[in-house]
Amino acid sequence: MSTKLSFRQKVHLAREDAIVTAVKRLLADKGFDLMTVDEVAAEVGIAKASLYKHFPSKEALAAAAMVQVMDSALAESARLQADAGLDAGARLREITRWTLRTQLAGEMPTLPSENSSLRAALLAHEGYMTRLMDLSDRLGEWIVQAQADGTIDPALPPEVVLYTVFARACDPVVGFLKAGGRHDDAAIVEHVMRSCFGGLQTRPPSAA
Amino acid sequence: MSTKLSFRQKVHLAREDAIVTAVKRLLADKGFDLMTVDEVAAEVGIAKASLYKHFPSKEALAAAAMVQVMDSALAESARLQADAGLDAGARLREITRWTLRTQLAGEMPTLPSENSSLRAALLAHEGYMTRLMDLSDRLGEWIVQAQADGTIDPALPPEVVLYTVFARACDPVVGFLKAGGRHDDAAIVEHVMRSCFGGLQTRPPSAA
DNA sequence: GTCTATAATAAGATAGAC
DNA sequence: GTCTATCTTATTATAGAC
């Protein structure tokens, strides 16, 4: 890969980045089905036909946004991996916290529900699937390690833990609490973290 | 209310019930936005125009389905309330279990996401809102009682517990595990129950 | 590559006969 | 109340000039 880019190419990439940023925000706000390409064009400030010169379809638009989110998540996971002061359990908690903060910031596109034209497009999108598997592998290692360490319940199958962490990205509890207006963002994150990792039941005073 | 119904009225109600049943299934399967009125008509086996003689809009169709689900949930909560062998914590666990079983059976319509024409229709639907508030009140009493009993973590605000229980109705973990095919329905329910009430962290051997 | 204008299609809703 | 046929609107996508 050359790092030397012509002015034209830089402008091109900057525009595509502006488009993807708008798509991310709209996806987080309304979801794929309710987001219209007209809205995206309006938010970016260009004509709809110009959008289609950059991305061939609405699905490709959304996939590009999902790839960018995956890259953010992978970057965050790399930071946590590099932090030698954290054990596997702490890394899992911190990536979950990052997920909740990202959702609260309105930057977490809602994942595709089971039946959606987006779902098929994402499954066929090589870049997205590679990143999803990389992230799953890294979190999977943390989970197995944390279960060996005794910080994550070994009675839960690892995929249950993985899906539960992933699901925080679209946890409706976050939105409900935000809409209620009785808690600030930090409190919402801590409440959801406590219910997720500690459970709803009362915990006996921990030996640890 | 008279219990005496003419034959015509009975046929009318039976048809409306068939419609609502189809809508419930399609809502659980595809969600509101992806469900089309044509599909509903096809599944019931009548013409679309006939549907509109029974329900004035797609939103009214979905609202009728949501009311029926709420009635099921209220009936289940009444059964649990009447069971003197259960304390508040056990009732909360059992209503959550019922929610998960209903979702696995394909009978739990997905709740409206934040931005949807359905959301506004439901907020304006008196029958739905009354039932939602009745159910929230009953679960709210259970939560406060369970926190006083020490079976639910008193550090969590009651509304966090309430929303967390409600959110099991659309927990994507259930669908992921089902799609994975490595667990039967009963195992899925138990894994999600354990992660929800016990938390992802290892629990020290309980004193209780 | 950007624009305006325009297909092409899908889906909610209705008209009018029976 | 049920049907067929149709209207209306919203939305994805493209044509063609510059």
Side-chain angles (χ1 to χ4, degrees):
Chain A
M1 290 207 197
S2 166
T3 56
K4 203 73 186 288
L5 293 179
S6 71
F7 180 73
R8 280 177 95 103
Q9 286 171 316
K10 275 191 255 182
V11 168
H12 186 85
L13 284 177
R15 171 130 302 174
E16 295 211 335
D17 193 67
I19 294 171
V20 172
T21 298
V23 171
K24 253 196 316 182
R25 210 195 57 73
L26 284 166
L27 279 181
D29 191 31
K30 335 183 60 168
F32 180 72
D33 296 320
L34 269 58
M35 177 188 83
T36 70
V37 179
D38 289 85
E39 283 171 331
V40 176
E43 181 140 335
V44 178
I46 63 176
K48 182 163 55 166
S50 304
L51 265 190
Y52 278 95
K53 300 284 184 184
H54 291 274
F55 299 93
S57 69
K58 184 185 177 184
E59 282 77 17
L61 219 47
M66 294 304 296
V67 164
Q68 209 178 76
V69 172
M70 277 291 163
D71 279 337
S72 302
L74 283 166
E76 179 67 17
S77 78
R79 273 191 292 277
L80 294 170
Q81 181 80 54
D83 187 338
L86 301 173
D87 66 4
R91 291 187 176 116
L92 274 176
R93 281 195 300 278
E94 289 309 312
I95 196 75
T96 305
R97 219 185 280 277
W98 174 87
T99 300
L100 293 171
R101 279 199 310 264
T102 304
Q103 194 193 343
L104 275 164
E107 289 163 8
M108 183 63 80
T110 59
L111 296 179
S113 64
E114 309 240 341
N115 215 323
S116 168
S117 59
L118 178 56
R119 185 182 160 78
L122 284 176
L123 287 175
H125 191 289
E126 195 184 346
Y128 175 79
M129 289 305 289
T130 300
R131 286 165 175 83
L132 178 61
M133 284 191 274
D134 286 350
L135 188 61
S136 298
D137 286 347
R138 172 159 278 163
L139 267 60
E141 283 169 21
W142 290 352
I143 291 166
V144 170
Q145 182 63 50
Q147 288 181 318
D149 293 346
T151 55
I152 290 290
D153 185 354
L156 290 170
E159 74 261 35
V160 173
V161 180
L162 180 66
Y163 296 156
T164 300
V165 169
F166 274 155
R168 282 332 96 206
C170 59
D171 192 342
V173 174
V174 173
F176 285 149
L177 289 175
K178 181 113 179 162
R182 285 220 288 272
H183 307 273
D184 61 19
D185 285 7
I188 292 174
V189 169
E190 290 318 307
H191 288 319
V192 174
M193 286 295 294
R194 185 179 180 99
S195 71
C196 180
F197 283 86
L200 297 180
Q201 288 172 21
T202 302
R203 300 181 69 75
S206 173
Chain B
M1 287 205 200
S2 166
T3 56
K4 202 75 188 286
L5 294 178
S6 71
F7 180 72
R8 279 174 99 104
Q9 286 171 317
K10 275 191 255 183
V11 168
H12 185 85
L13 285 177
R15 170 129 302 172
E16 295 210 335
D17 193 68
I19 295 171
V20 171
T21 298
V23 171
K24 253 196 316 182
R25 209 194 58 72
L26 284 166
L27 279 181
D29 191 30
K30 335 182 61 166
F32 180 71
D33 296 320
L34 269 58
M35 177 188 82
T36 70
V37 178
D38 289 85
E39 283 172 331
V40 176
E43 179 140 335
V44 178
I46 62 177
K48 181 163 56 164
S50 304
L51 264 190
Y52 278 94
K53 298 286 183 183
H54 291 275
F55 298 94
S57 70
K58 185 185 177 184
E59 282 76 16
L61 219 45
M66 294 304 297
V67 164
Q68 210 178 74
V69 171
M70 278 291 165
D71 280 336
S72 301
L74 283 167
E76 179 67 17
S77 77
R79 273 192 292 276
L80 294 170
Q81 181 80 54
D83 187 338
L86 301 173
D87 66 4
R91 290 187 177 118
L92 273 176
R93 282 195 300 279
E94 289 310 312
I95 196 74
T96 306
R97 218 185 281 277
W98 175 86
T99 299
L100 294 170
R101 279 200 310 266
T102 303
Q103 194 193 345
L104 275 164
E107 290 163 7
M108 183 63 80
T110 59
L111 296 178
S113 63
E114 309 241 341
N115 214 323
S116 168
S117 59
L118 179 56
R119 186 180 160 79
L122 284 176
L123 288 176
H125 191 289
E126 194 184 348
Y128 175 78
M129 289 306 289
T130 301
R131 286 165 175 81
L132 177 62
M133 284 191 276
D134 285 351
L135 188 61
S136 298
D137 286 347
R138 172 159 279 163
L139 267 61
E141 283 170 21
W142 292 351
I143 290 166
V144 170
Q145 181 63 48
Q147 288 181 319
D149 293 346
T151 55
I152 291 289
D153 186 353
L156 291 169
E159 74 262 33
V160 173
V161 180
L162 179 67
Y163 295 157
T164 301
V165 168
F166 274 155
R168 283 331 99 206
C170 58
D171 191 342
V173 174
V174 173
F176 285 149
L177 290 175
K178 181 113 179 163
R182 285 219 289 271
H183 307 272
D184 61 20
D185 285 7
I188 293 173
V189 169
E190 289 318 307
H191 287 319
V192 174
M193 286 295 293
R194 185 179 180 100
S195 71
C196 179
F197 283 86
L200 297 180
Q201 288 173 21
T202 302
R203 300 182 71 76
S206 173

